[in-house]
Amino acid sequence: MFTICLISMAAGFFSTSAMKWPFYGSVIVLTGFTYGSVVTRGLEVGIPRWAPMVVAAVGSYVLFAALANRYVSMAYLELLFLVGVFLVAVTCRPTVEQLLSVSNVVFSVYLLLSVLVYVEVIPLARELALFEYGDLLVLGLPFRTFVGFYGSTAAIDVYALFVAAINVLYGRGVQRWLFVILGVASSLATLRYTPLVALVLALIATAGWRSLGPGFGRRVYVGLLVVSCFASAMLVVGAIEWADYDVLDTFQVLTSGRSPIWMEMVNAFRADANSWTAVWLGTGTDEVYAVDLGFSHGNLIANPHNVYLEFLLKYGIIGWSLLLVFSIMVFSALLRAGHFFLAALLMLSGVTNLHTFGFFYPLYLLWLGWFHAMSEAERRSQQVTRTGQGRRHQWMAR
């Protein structure tokens, strides 16, 4: 797990230079080991019944999409990697202490490298995506928003907040509060409010989840939450068009400037209606839908700033639907409020952040896989307990 996280970190740093290919290649190799681990380790602990179906569905989609588009892009390999990392956590089932230790060490390395990039000790192959506030002075100098190792505020705001959250729930002793402070401070230093909004919404969503209790109502609730996140960009665009653009400025504030990007990219996707491969199977890249909003100094914006919209552009309606069903399945299986809260935090953060699920942050998938594994283990334990009690009652009745 540690190796996967470090190599993915290097791939993210070199993502815009030719140096990325050795690291991407390593990630691809690790993807193969990932699936091999699922099979070998899964045979020992029992592969989840749904795992072969998920692997077959995602593998078939990638093969068909690659043949239809006549090329194999990193986006298709990324999809295999994401599912593979999730399945490794499900089958290998690390203890919470092991997973938390890996998370804290990886974040420590990432934070140190982020600081070195921020103070320009480590040069980045692209311009830092930060903001400078001349009226806010720190040590007599204008304050510059903190950035992650990959060169943007979005590359650390959610990541740092997530590390703080897992330490609040599962950490112990001095180390617990050290990483809580480091995580919260790093996130706040980006001056981005969207992760905090996601945090509040995750708390509200968890309160609603707990109030329903196990059963059909909770499953419907989870399904609506996941669908709302996956369709968030389309829902916002639809609301703006329905209101005849009168609410465009409001949504621009609510989405931290994302809504105009979503509108342009959704319209570009609609314009591809004559291309069934682009609509149904995707293009394998979001570069096709790069847009110019007039404030990017002549540079096209290829980042949709919404991981679910990116899924739609890269993987089409079929790939997007597969990920939607997979996400509903994962969320519906969660039994503990802490697991649901952290999963909801990641899900809601993806509405205004592209970095939630991808090559560069496998840690998120490891935790989601662990949540699912623990929930399945608890469910089986409850079933065994109920079966044992039922047999005991039958014996006593005799």
Side-chain angles (χ1 to χ4, degrees), residues 114-156:
S114 298
V115 171
L116 295 177
V117 167
Y118 179 67
V119 298
E120 300 180 5
V121 171
I122 296 179
L124 199 63
R126 55 189 178 277
E127 185 179 352
L128 297 181
L130 52 73
F131 303 92
E132 187 171 298
Y133 293 85
D135 54 346
L136 180 60
L137 300 180
V138 178
L139 299 177
L141 298 174
F143 178 76
R144 299 193 311 160
T145 53
F146 189 49
V147 296
F149 183 47
Y150 307 146
S152 70
T153 54
I156 196 170

Side-chain angles (χ1 to χ4, degrees), residues 60-332:
S60 299
Y61 161 77
V62 169
L63 178 62
F64 192 56
L67 290 174
N69 286 311
R70 299 181 181 179
Y71 62 84
V72 178
S73 72
M74 290 303 300
Y76 297 140
L77 299 175
E78 179 181 31
L79 182 60
L80 293 172
F81 176 74
L82 296 180
V83 175
V85 170
F86 177 88
L87 291 177
V88 161
V90 169
T91 55
C92 295
R93 299 173 190 173
T95 65
V96 67
E97 292 80 13
Q98 291 173 331
L99 190 53
L100 185 62
S101 176
V102 169
S103 302
N104 287 342
V105 172
V106 170
F107 178 70
S108 298
V109 174
Y110 186 85
L111 182 59
L112 174 61
L113 294 172
S114 298
V115 171
L116 295 177
V117 167
Y118 179 67
V119 298
E120 300 180 5
V121 171
I122 296 179
L124 199 63
R126 55 189 178 277
E127 185 179 352
L128 297 181
L130 52 73
F131 303 92
E132 187 171 298
Y133 293 85
D135 54 346
L136 180 60
L137 300 180
V138 178
L139 299 177
L141 298 174
F143 178 76
R144 299 193 311 160
T145 53
F146 189 49
V147 296
F149 183 47
Y150 307 146
S152 70
T153 54
I156 196 170
D157 56 353
V158 174
Y159 188 23
L161 198 60
F162 180 76
V163 169
I166 59 176
N167 275 277
V168 167
L169 292 177
Y170 307 115
R172 293 180 180 178
V174 176
Q175 180 176 289
R176 173 191 192 183
W177 297 111
L178 172 63
F179 280 97
V180 169
I181 293 171
L182 287 174
V184 172
S186 299
S187 183
L188 292 177
T190 64
L191 296 187
R192 283 168 53 89
Y193 64 83
T194 47
L196 299 177
V197 172
L199 177 67
V200 173
L201 291 177
L203 289 170
I204 295 173
T206 304
W209 179 86
R210 294 185 65 177
S211 67
L212 292 172
F216 178 75
R218 178 178 285 184
R219 288 195 292 271
V220 172
Y221 177 82
V222 169
L224 290 174
L225 174 65
V226 175
V227 170
S228 298
C229 290
F230 265 73
S232 54
M234 287 74 79
L235 290 173
V236 168
V237 171
I240 292 173
E241 292 179 343
W242 179 79
D244 202 21
Y245 295 86
D246 291 337
V247 294
L248 178 59
D249 292 339
T250 301
F251 274 108
Q252 190 163 350
V253 173
L254 293 175
T255 62
S256 189
R258 269 68 170 168
S259 55
I261 301 174
W262 298 348
M263 289 195 63
E264 292 297 326
M265 289 195 172
V266 168
N267 288 334
F269 181 75
R270 291 168 175 168
D272 265 344
N274 294 328
S275 173
W276 72 270
T277 53
V279 172
W280 292 99
L281 297 176
T283 62
T285 176
D286 53 79
E287 295 290 334
V288 175
Y289 298 98
V291 297
D292 188 353
L293 299 179
F295 54 78
S296 56
H297 306 291
N299 297 321
L300 295 177
I301 299 176
N303 180 352
H305 292 82
N306 181 303
V307 71
Y308 311 109
L309 179 56
E310 188 198 37
F311 286 161
L312 180 64
L313 303 181
K314 288 200 298 189
Y315 305 127
I317 294 175
I318 293 177
W320 180 86
S321 299
L322 285 175
L323 289 167
L324 172 63
V325 172
F326 180 67
S327 299
I328 292 176
M329 180 190 70
V330 170
F331 269 68
S332 298

Side-chain angles (χ1 to χ4, degrees), residues 296-379:
S296 56
H297 306 291
N299 297 321
L300 295 177
I301 299 176
N303 180 352
H305 292 82
N306 181 303
V307 71
Y308 311 109
L309 179 56
E310 188 198 37
F311 286 161
L312 180 64
L313 303 181
K314 288 200 298 189
Y315 305 127
I317 294 175
I318 293 177
W320 180 86
S321 299
L322 285 175
L323 289 167
L324 172 63
V325 172
F326 180 67
S327 299
I328 292 176
M329 180 190 70
V330 170
F331 269 68
S332 298
L334 300 181
L335 295 177
R336 292 187 177 273
H339 298 169
F340 182 84
F341 163 69
L342 290 171
L345 175 60
L346 291 178
M347 181 70 67
L348 290 163
S349 297
V351 172
T352 57
N353 195 311
L354 187 68
H355 298 280
T356 310
F357 305 112
F359 262 137
F360 312 144
Y361 297 94
L363 207 59
Y364 296 149
L365 275 300
L366 290 172
W367 276 98
L368 287 175
W370 184 80
F371 296 153
H372 192 278
M374 294 302 101
S375 298
E376 287 297 310
E378 186 173 343
R379 185 176 286 106

